[in-house]
Amino acid sequence: MAERARRRAQVDGWYGPLAWDDDTIDDPNAVPQTDAAPAGYTEGDDVVARFLMGESVVLDGTGRREVIAHLMEWTQDTPEEIGARLDMTGESVSRSWERIKRKARDEGRKAPWRRVYVPLRDMDLNRDDMRSAA
């Protein structure tokens, strides 16, 4: 039912609630405020790097995959933590990570892997233990 209403609103050119001023919404002659530019993707060659440095940019699908690949490979952040940065669920991040690895293998490239820092002073490993841990 809601999807049908959305389609009808789009076909009829209706505006959402944020397009109307609170003071004039009851006025039949009021017009919606539509001067705001639509949200678009941030342009530039280094959008992913800028996102990783903390700048507020909008990522497209390719950019999201690059960010996921970088954070999954080079940080100890959990998929849930990465998802929170990208407004995604941890499950979506994990699925995307698996697709990234599969695509690399299918293209004959070495699949990325998680690098996890393990402090040696807290562990007493011998060479056989290190091999099995790798």
Side-chain angles (χ1 to χ4, degrees):
M1 183 77 154
E3 186 59 36
R4 185 171 21 162
R6 280 190 207 98
R7 275 188 264 129
R8 180 172 178 202
Q10 185 177 18
V11 168
D12 290 345
W14 294 349
Y15 294 95
L18 297 179
W20 300 97
D21 184 61
D22 290 340
D23 297 330
T24 61
I25 195 163
D26 293 327
D27 181 1
N29 297 321
V31 293
Q33 303 297 315
T34 59
D35 57 348
Y41 297 113
T42 304
E43 296 180 6
D45 295 335
D46 56 351
V47 174
V48 171
R50 289 168 34 208
F51 177 86
L52 291 169
M53 294 293 288
E55 186 176 329
S56 178
V57 296
V58 179
L59 298 169
D60 60 2
T62 303
R64 281 179 179 267
R65 286 186 293 277
E66 288 180 39
V67 167
I68 290 170
H70 177 82
L71 293 175
M72 288 293 287
E73 189 171 4
W74 294 103
T75 70
Q76 294 187 42
D77 293 348
T78 65
E80 289 75 21
E81 292 169 329
I82 294 169
R85 289 180 70 176
L86 294 168
D87 293 327
M88 300 171 67
T89 65
E91 185 178 320
S92 296
V93 171
S94 295
R95 280 194 312 265
S96 184
W97 174 241
E98 291 304 318
R99 283 192 296 267
I100 290 167
K101 293 190 303 185
R102 188 178 327 114
K103 182 179 179 187
R105 285 191 295 270
D106 291 347
E107 293 175 353
R109 295 183 288 119
K110 189 175 180 179
W113 52 283
R114 298 274 334 230
R115 290 162 171 80
V116 179
Y117 172 72
V118 178
L120 293 179
R121 68 174 183 260
D122 293 341
M123 302 179 77
D124 187 23
L125 295 176
N126 61 30
R127 188 173 15 172
D128 292 332
D129 293 336
M130 287 184 197
R131 262 196 210 124
S132 65

